[in-house]
Amino acid sequence: MKKKFLSGLLAGMMLMTSMSALALADETKEDGIYVGMTKYETIAAAQSAAVNQNLPITISGTVEFGYRQGISADGIMLQGENNATIVTSDAFASASETSRKAILSTEASNVTIKDITFDGGTYGSTLVPDSSAGTEFNVLRINSGSAALENVTIKNSNRTLLSVGTSSTEATVTANGLYCDAVYKTMDTPYADVNVVNGTLTLNSGQVNGLICTDAGLDFPYFYSGSFVNTTSNHFKLGVAGILGLTQYITSTAEHLIESYINAKDAISQTEAEKYADAIADTDNQTEVEKMVTYVDENGTDALKNDFVELLNDAKTLNPSATGVINEYISTLEGTE
């Protein structure tokens, strides 16, 4: 009798487990915006429900936005599942100029965005990278307040991928796992791929294959200034001559800086390529360049090492006084040190 009871109990438990698995399978969300299991058409509608129910907003699968949507409530979590991707729809290009400034913007405190890819899509790919003509387009805008980016990917904009703050509002962003894929640009492009306009961006981990810059200026009556804090070991900051002789700083991965030089040399002009070489040859940048050499020597492919050697040889030509130290860098990369 005891054996029959135990057998029955075990069978019941297995049945309940199977039913639970089926229930979970039935609850897999189709593509869309959700709060709980309820689907919403817009971020605004989902935000109201999220605030009322104290729940996160979930992006499931691929969701198309036909215009810029926004988060304006404090404490919102926007999380992804099922390879969550937010992308511009075909209708995006027909939206108003204001509505084409981003896919998503936030103007709130303690916002968390995690496990989502933001894709500028075909719209972002139609914009001219180094021209001021046309509509401003930053895929993701953190306009004010504070936000945490966790495992966030941003790609497909010939203009800007991420902006922090505006000339009149300050924002604070902490990124743990920020991944960006930008097009190759000239060093003095008017559109940084990650632009810290007003406030602070702290990058703790990730791979930003793009140009990270800070901004500062006067937009009467507002004075604005951005700052960038890099705690990673795979992003490198180079100082370059800016307006009125002031030094501006560009930060990126070694891979992106090197290949931006190669692209400029092959597809734009030797003059634009030399701006990268000038930065590599600059005496004030040698501590950072030495770190780049160590990183590429330990982590780079043979192709990347060869491209870096090409860049270093160009830098040596532009600044003969740096020949000795640059030759040491080249020997390290070629394995002849």
Side-chain angles (χ1 to χ4, degrees):
M1 184 70 181
K2 185 175 181 180
K3 289 183 179 180
K4 289 184 179 180
F5 173 75
L6 290 174
S7 298
L9 180 61
L10 180 60
M13 291 174 65
M14 292 176 64
L15 179 61
M16 290 176 66
T17 301
S18 299
M19 291 176 66
S20 297
L22 287 171
L24 287 173
D26 289 340
E27 290 181 357
T28 300
K29 301 182 183 75
E30 62 181 12
D31 293 359
I33 306 169
Y34 293 84
V35 175
M37 293 303 296
T38 303
K39 187 176 180 181
Y40 295 86
E41 292 298 317
T42 65
I43 292 290
Q47 177 178 261
S48 297
V51 170
N52 290 335
Q53 299 175 47
N54 194 27
L55 290 173
I57 301 171
T58 299
I59 302 295
S60 179
T62 299
V63 178
E64 295 185 343
F65 284 7
Y67 57 90
R68 174 171 58 159
Q69 299 193 36
I71 293 173
S72 57
D74 294 346
I76 289 292
M77 174 178 283
L78 182 68
Q79 64 183 19
E81 61 180 42
N82 301 328
N83 297 315
T85 301
I86 298 176
V87 65
T88 55
S89 71
D90 292 339
F92 194 91
S94 300
S96 69
E97 185 171 345
T98 298
S99 296
R100 295 198 309 272
K101 285 189 173 182
I103 293 179
L104 180 75
S105 61
T106 72
E107 297 176 351
S109 296
N110 300 319
V111 174
T112 300
I113 301 173
K114 62 184 298 184
D115 301 331
I116 298 176
T117 293
F118 293 88
D119 187 339
T122 53
Y123 177 76
S125 301
T126 63
L127 304 173
V128 180
D130 291 325
S131 170
S132 59
T135 303
E136 184 180 355
F137 177 62
N138 304 351
V139 178
L140 177 61
R141 287 176 175 266
I142 311 298
N143 285 338
S144 61
S146 58
L149 306 181
E150 301 176 7
N151 190 31
V152 169
T153 297
I154 312 174
K155 61 183 182 178
N156 286 339
S157 173
N158 290 345
R159 297 295 177 88
T160 298
L161 298 172
L162 169 67
S163 62
V164 177
T166 71
S167 61
S168 60
T169 56
E170 184 175 319
T172 301
V173 176
T174 301
N176 295 302
L178 174 62
Y179 302 89
C180 294
D181 290 312
V183 298
Y184 297 123
K185 296 178 179 177
T186 59
M187 182 163 272
D188 54 359
T189 176
Y191 295 102
D193 299 303
V194 175
N195 189 16
V196 190
V197 180
N198 192 357
T200 302
L201 168 64
T202 300
L203 179 64
N204 292 325
S205 60
Q207 179 114 356
V208 180
N209 290 318
L211 304 181
I212 306 171
C213 301
T214 60
D215 207 350
L218 177 64
D219 184 7
F220 188 82
Y222 306 104
F223 174 77
Y224 59 94
S225 180
S227 64
F228 172 61
V229 179
N230 172 31
T231 68
T232 73
S233 60
N234 61 327
H235 294 80
F236 305 92
K237 180 173 71 174
L238 299 178
V240 298
I243 298 173
L244 301 176
L246 298 174
T247 301
Q248 294 182 315
Y249 293 94
I250 292 176
T251 303
S252 189
T253 59
E255 294 87 344
H256 192 78
L257 289 167
I258 294 165
E259 297 310 326
S260 291
Y261 156 80
I262 295 295
N263 179 74
K265 191 172 184 178
D266 291 346
I268 304 176
S269 70
Q270 179 65 24
T271 299
E272 294 299 336
E274 287 178 355
K275 293 177 182 178
Y276 283 96
D278 275 333
I280 292 295
D282 193 320
T283 302
D284 292 337
N285 289 330
Q286 289 316 299
T287 298
E288 207 72 356
V289 173
E290 185 175 357
K291 292 178 183 177
M292 284 179 62
V293 171
T294 300
Y295 173 85
V296 172
D297 182 50
E298 294 177 352
N299 303 284
T301 63
D302 289 342
L304 183 65
K305 292 177 184 179
N306 290 336
D307 286 345
F308 201 179
V309 168
E310 184 176 344
L311 169 54
L312 289 166
N313 277 319
D314 200 354
K316 183 171 61 175
T317 301
L318 293 171
N319 185 6
S321 65
T323 297
V325 67
I326 291 178
N327 280 339
E328 291 179 11
Y329 297 155
I330 292 172
S331 295
T332 297
L333 293 169
E334 291 181 337
T336 58
E337 187 179 35

